[in-house]
Amino acid sequence: LCSFLLLIIVGTTNVNALQQPRQQAIVVGSGPVGVATSLILATNHNYDVTLLESSPASSTQTKYDPTKAFLYNVNGRGQRLTKMFPEMHQRMVERSVISKGFGGTKLTIVPADPGESIPEQKANVPAAADKEDNDDDNKSMPSGEKAGNVGFWIPRHEMVKLMVEEIEEHNKRGLGGTITLCTGQECVSVVPRTTKDGECVTVVTTKDASSSSSSQEISTNEYNANLV
């Protein structure tokens, strides 16, 4: 649906010796893929996640941007993600327009051979595997949504907004890792190196995206991490 740059850095941090070290992850880009990745890492894998976004807080990806003014159709496959977070899924349902797909559409397959007659129209019946998946999805849907290939049309910025809201709710619940969204931070470079002690260090360099080119302040962070 869109082009994106997704960078994940995974490693560990030094904490109190009595505590189990928590895994660390850095995700670059707070678009739909970046936010979804952060939620999965923090919720399902207990990572502390730093989510870097170059846009300033006043114009994050949750705001309308005419250069990204397109719609997502969150189909059954996409809903496998949203249903992992029931509150986020419900917000998506409330803010979107339901699309019931083409389950009731009749199709005509025209033969390539002009000598063959055009067959009668046939109903658009999903393949057996797809039908089974749809049936499983329908079991967890409200009765009003039980239709073939139900999708939800939603503007991109609205989708990002409700996903960021899920980050806030996740941090409030205090379950799993913490997600920290850092806006106005543009990733300049990611350079792995080995220290004198033989420790593998990944140097992540970010700059203040709102600063002028003549006065940019570069902040450098070092993490003991593996680039994946």
Side-chain angles (χ1 to χ4, degrees), residues 52-222:
L52 301 176
E53 170 56 42
S54 60
S55 301
S58 59
S59 60
T60 62
Q61 300 210 44
T62 62
K63 305 291 185 180
Y64 173 76
D65 181 351
T67 65
K68 301 176 182 177
F70 47 84
L71 300 174
Y72 285 146
N73 182 9
V74 185
N75 56 19
R77 183 172 57 180
Q79 290 168 49
R80 292 181 181 179
L81 168 70
T82 61
K83 289 177 182 177
M84 294 174 63
F85 308 95
E87 294 179 2
M88 181 177 76
H89 181 78
Q90 183 58 36
R91 287 194 292 268
M92 181 193 69
V93 172
E94 293 172 354
R95 302 178 192 180
S96 62
V97 176
I98 294 179
S99 170
K100 296 184 178 180
F102 302 95
T105 303
K106 290 186 176 181
L107 303 177
T108 300
I109 300 177
V110 179
D113 186 352
E116 294 185 23
S117 59
I118 297 178
E120 295 181 0
Q121 291 181 335
K122 295 182 178 181
N124 181 21
V125 180
D130 294 338
K131 185 177 186 301
E132 183 178 349
D133 290 342
N134 289 338
D135 289 343
D136 291 339
D137 290 340
N138 283 338
K139 291 178 183 178
S140 60
M141 286 185 175
S143 58
E145 298 177 22
K146 291 182 179 179
N149 300 322
V150 172
F152 298 90
W153 288 101
I154 185 169
R156 180 188 185 278
H157 72 281
E158 194 65 41
M159 186 68 191
V160 176
K161 181 179 180 180
L162 63 88
M163 295 177 75
V164 171
E165 290 172 0
E166 181 60 29
I167 287 179
E168 298 171 354
E169 293 299 322
H170 167 82
N171 289 337
K172 288 180 182 178
R173 287 190 290 265
L175 301 176
T178 300
I179 303 174
T180 303
L181 174 59
C182 302
T183 58
Q185 295 298 310
E186 180 180 347
C187 181
V188 177
S189 64
V190 179
V191 182
R193 71 164 186 247
T194 303
T195 65
K196 295 180 180 179
D197 298 329
E199 185 179 18
C200 180
V201 177
T202 299
V203 180
V204 180
T205 303
T206 63
K207 67 179 181 181
D208 186 353
S210 62
S211 300
S212 62
S213 57
S214 59
S215 62
Q216 288 177 342
E217 296 182 0
I218 304 296
S219 60
T220 302
N221 301 294
E222 295 187 357

Side-chain angles (χ1 to χ4, degrees), residues 15-42:
V15 295
N16 190 302
L18 299 178
Q19 299 178 355
Q20 183 70 22
R22 188 186 293 278
Q23 294 285 340
Q24 299 290 312
I26 301 175
V27 178
V28 177
S30 68
V33 175
V35 178
T37 302
S38 300
L39 287 170
I40 293 295
L41 287 172

